[in-house]
Amino acid sequence: MRNLSDAELAQLLDKDIFHQISDAADQLGMECYVVGGYVRDLFLERPSNDIDVVVVGSGIRIAEELKNRLGRKAHLSVFRNFGTAQVKIVGDGCWMKGDSDNNCDHQKPTPPTQHPIEVEFVGARRESYSHDSRKPIVEDGTLQDDQNRRDFTINAMAICLNKDRFGELVDPFDGLYDLEDGIIRTPLDPDITFSDDPLRMMRCVRFATQLRFYIDEETFEALGRNAERIKIISGERIQEELNKIMMAPQPSRGLVDLQRCGLLQIILPELCALDIVETRNGKAHKNNFYHTLEVLDNVAKNDASLWLRWSALLHDIGKPRSKRWEPLQGWTFHNHNFIGAKMVADIFRRLKLPMDAKMKYVQKMVDLHMRPIVIADEEVTDSAVRRLMNDAGDDIDDLMMLCEADITSKNQVRKAKFLDNFRIVREKLADLKVRDYKRLLQPVIDGNEIMEMFHLTPCREVGELKKALKDAVLDNRVPNEREPLMELLMEKAKEMGLRP
């Protein structure tokens, strides 16, 4: 992060948009401050085009004045019930990070890239809460009142935009020091902060994960004391924060914090059930919770999509329900992939995650995640790889990424063997994609033709005949050509007592 003086902050805010806001505030005789994440990100040198402005007075009046000044390049939205307004700006002079005037002398100047800017205006306010709701009772207040209600000290800093104090930092809770130390801390009593709005507990863990900060000890203890309050928050709001944690460079940091403070047990008890190690006759299984987090971090290193990350998080979710002790084998988890895939829908439904193709994708990844490992643990045959391609379809590359991430063995010899066999699987996949793609689509004789040929309606026999043809094609026992498949079809039909 950068240590910035008021003069340097004023220079960083030397943009047309901030001067327009400043002039509007001065004309109306109101104090005006840029606050929250934009201020934090100035010090962290993170680009941001979302600007929050607090006005000691009517934020809507300043937003309306700004719209009048900017004309057609600004769009104004007013939310009078909440006392807020938004101005969205696109036009000359309204770009932020990446401006041409930010180029170093030794760099070739580049034209400024224009980005829409969204400025949210709100009047300074004080808030009070009832115990059963996170919706506050709002009253007009001072800048100090407004900073008191902020979630964390690093989000409670404000920079004055009025001309006579332009660039002056107002930091009553030493948020700047917390930024330097990498600490997440609440401005006031954390028990009150979290009890008033329990979603702040998720935001606390999310900021710590995204910024790679640590949660202040007193603040973390308050997370545990108030964890049950998360139950008044909707699944939509929880999954929004959870998804941001999942998309962090090292999502395990946030999930460990959620586990330690007791929030995860309420949000995702199925995942917490993995955090156990049982020993019998001197044989113990691994801790599947920490194994899962390692797999999740592994796919995150490859910049995986959100839904592949969810697949990694849930890939072993069926293990507690499938765990058995077998005297001759030790601990087993037979069919945990199938059981886990069936659990995905309930988890998505509870967290208000999309119940569409994204959910089905995660189900498929969980269901198939053992297949490449089984192939790589044995001789890698064309037949097995063909079947895997057929079942995984267009998601085969994602499945391979998940399965390679799943190799977390501390036995380096075994790990090296798996990874080498995965390399062979990948080579065969690439080769078979070229050679067999058309052949793998479907046998040239389909179900409709089978029904017409044997005078059948849709029934079990038709399914068995189709499966016999498909298996023969996938196993490369016959080419996907009409004559050899017809011969096989007739043989199979004769065995089943069917006649054309």
Side-chain angles (χ1 to χ4, degrees):
M1 64 167 285
R2 295 173 64 183
N3 288 312
L4 301 168
S5 65
D6 288 353
E8 289 171 321
L9 287 172
Q11 186 176 359
L12 286 173
L13 296 179
D14 187 18
K15 312 281 184 182
D16 179 65
I17 182 59
F18 291 115
H19 288 298
Q20 293 280 10
I21 296 171
S22 177
D23 291 344
D26 285 345
Q27 179 174 322
L28 294 172
M30 299 183 191
E31 289 181 46
C32 187
Y33 302 84
V34 58
V35 298
Y38 190 86
V39 177
R40 177 197 69 226
D41 289 343
L42 280 178
F43 289 96
L44 293 178
E45 301 179 84
R46 288 166 26 125
S48 177
N49 282 341
D50 296 331
I51 304 167
D52 291 324
V53 173
V54 164
V55 179
V56 182
S58 172
I60 293 175
R61 285 188 63 194
I62 291 189
E64 291 171 338
E65 176 63 26
L66 179 64
K67 160 64 179 172
N68 291 337
R69 289 170 173 271
L70 296 177
R72 295 178 62 183
K73 66 182 179 182
H75 175 75
L76 172 66
S77 300
V78 176
F79 310 96
R80 296 194 184 277
N81 288 345
F82 300 96
T84 65
Q86 180 194 78
V87 178
K88 182 178 286 189
I89 309 137
V90 178
D92 294 340
C94 290
W95 46 81
M96 307 300 290
K97 288 287 184 179
D99 292 4
S100 58
D101 60 358
N102 284 341
N103 286 292
C104 299
D105 293 338
H106 64 277
Q107 292 178 320
K108 181 179 178 180
T110 57
T113 302
Q114 295 198 18
H115 304 283
I117 300 170
E118 294 184 0
V119 188
E120 298 278 352
F121 291 88
V122 64
R125 59 194 188 185
R126 66 168 64 92
E127 296 177 345
S128 57
Y129 292 79
S130 62
H131 187 73
D132 59 350
S133 173
R134 60 181 293 263
K135 294 180 180 179
I137 299 168
V138 178
E139 303 173 273
D140 292 341
T142 64
L143 174 66
Q144 182 178 354
D145 290 328
D146 203 87
Q147 288 176 300
N148 287 346
R149 73 179 183 84
R150 297 281 162 175
D151 50 8
F152 308 111
T153 60
I154 61 172
N155 294 334
M157 297 181 289
I159 301 174
C160 188
L161 294 180
N162 295 96
K163 188 168 295 184
D164 60 345
R165 296 170 54 207
F166 192 84
E168 179 184 313
L169 178 66
V170 183
D171 183 19
F173 305 109
D174 294 326
L176 191 55
Y177 290 120
D178 287 342
L179 272 183
E180 290 178 333
D181 294 337
I183 295 292
I184 302 295
R185 182 170 59 87
T186 59
L188 303 177
D189 183 339
D191 284 303
I192 296 175
T193 297
F194 294 147
S195 181
D196 281 350
D197 184 355
L199 186 64
R200 290 169 176 163
M201 295 188 287
M202 294 295 299
R203 286 170 55 83
C204 177
V205 175
R206 188 251 293 182
F207 278 120
T209 308
Q210 288 179 325
L211 300 176
R212 296 176 182 265
F213 281 17
Y214 292 94
I215 301 172
D216 165 73
E217 184 176 345
E218 183 180 354
T219 300
F220 190 86
E221 290 173 355
L223 289 175
R225 288 192 294 268
N226 291 276
E228 288 289 324
R229 291 279 291 153
I230 201 67
K231 292 178 179 178
I232 73 168
I233 303 297
S234 69
E236 289 92 343
R237 301 307 300 273
I238 290 172
Q239 59 100 340
E240 183 179 339
E241 294 299 327
L242 195 54
N243 284 342
K244 290 176 182 178
I245 292 170
M246 295 277 283
M247 289 305 295
Q250 190 182 356
S252 63
R253 290 176 62 109
L255 289 158
V256 167
D257 280 344
L258 290 174
Q259 166 78 331
R260 289 175 52 227
C261 72
L263 283 168
L264 194 64
Q265 179 61 45
I266 300 169
I267 298 167
L268 259 177
E270 300 91 343
L271 190 62
C272 291
L274 296 172
D275 189 15
I276 187 173
V277 175
E278 286 193 64
T279 302
R280 188 175 294 189
N281 292 350
K283 292 184 178 181
H285 61 78
K286 64 186 174 187
N287 185 306
N288 288 299
F289 176 75
Y290 289 100
H291 161 74
T292 292
L293 298 191
E294 189 175 351
V295 176
L296 176 58
D297 283 348
N298 285 343
V299 298
K301 291 173 187 174
N302 292 314
D303 199 26
S305 70
L306 173 62
W307 306 111
L308 185 54
R309 294 179 192 223
W310 268 103
S311 303
L313 188 69
L314 302 181
H315 81 283
D316 277 348
I317 208 75
K319 280 191 168 179
R321 298 186 186 182
S322 64
K323 183 168 68 174
R324 299 289 184 273
W325 170 258
E326 304 287 349
L328 298 180
Q329 296 176 273
W331 293 106
T332 65
F333 302 91
H334 297 312
N335 294 322
H336 76 273
N337 54 312
F338 174 72
I339 294 170
K342 292 183 68 174
M343 296 169 63
V344 168
D346 286 341
I347 292 171
F348 267 51
R349 189 175 294 108
R350 187 177 72 241
L351 291 175
K352 309 300 182 184
L353 289 160
M355 302 295 293
D356 55 13
K358 298 180 179 68
M359 185 270 290
K360 292 185 182 298
Y361 166 91
V362 174
Q363 285 182 316
K364 180 164 73 170
M365 292 293 106
V366 173
D367 188 26
L368 295 179
H369 82 271
M370 294 295 296
R371 288 276 293 281
I373 294 175
V374 171
I375 293 172
D377 201 22
E378 301 169 352
E379 181 183 356
V380 182
T381 65
D382 283 2
S383 175
V385 175
R386 281 193 185 96
R387 287 179 173 278
L388 180 64
M389 284 180 63
N390 183 74
D391 292 342
D394 293 338
D395 300 316
I396 184 64
D397 292 332
D398 284 358
L399 180 62
M400 290 300 296
M401 186 191 301
L402 172 61
C403 293
E404 286 181 340
D406 198 15
I407 306 303
T408 62
S409 172
K410 300 303 182 281
N411 183 326
Q412 294 304 312
V413 174
R414 179 171 171 79
K415 186 174 183 177
K417 176 191 172 185
F418 268 119
L419 293 177
D420 189 56
N421 279 3
F422 269 124
R423 177 185 57 78
I424 297 172
V425 173
R426 282 190 178 276
E427 290 173 355
K428 283 189 176 289
L429 283 168
D431 181 52
L432 289 171
K433 279 180 182 178
V434 174
R435 290 195 290 117
D436 295 346
Y437 183 73
K438 289 184 178 179
R439 184 179 63 76
L440 283 171
L441 291 176
Q442 283 295 338
V444 295
I445 301 174
D446 64 14
N448 290 328
E449 186 173 357
I450 292 172
M451 286 189 290
E452 183 178 346
M453 188 180 304
F454 294 99
H455 311 291
L456 297 170
T457 57
C459 60
R460 178 180 57 82
E461 287 80 4
V462 175
E464 289 184 8
L465 290 172
K466 285 175 60 179
K467 185 177 186 301
L469 297 183
K470 188 170 184 178
D471 286 347
V473 170
L474 291 173
D475 290 338
N476 206 27
R477 288 187 276 114
V478 296
N480 192 11
E481 298 170 2
R482 187 170 186 79
E483 186 175 340
L485 281 175
M486 186 61 74
E487 183 178 341
L488 177 63
L489 177 62
M490 291 302 177
E491 290 177 6
K492 181 66 176 174
K494 185 177 180 179
E495 293 174 9
M496 296 170 62
L498 299 174
R499 294 289 184 271

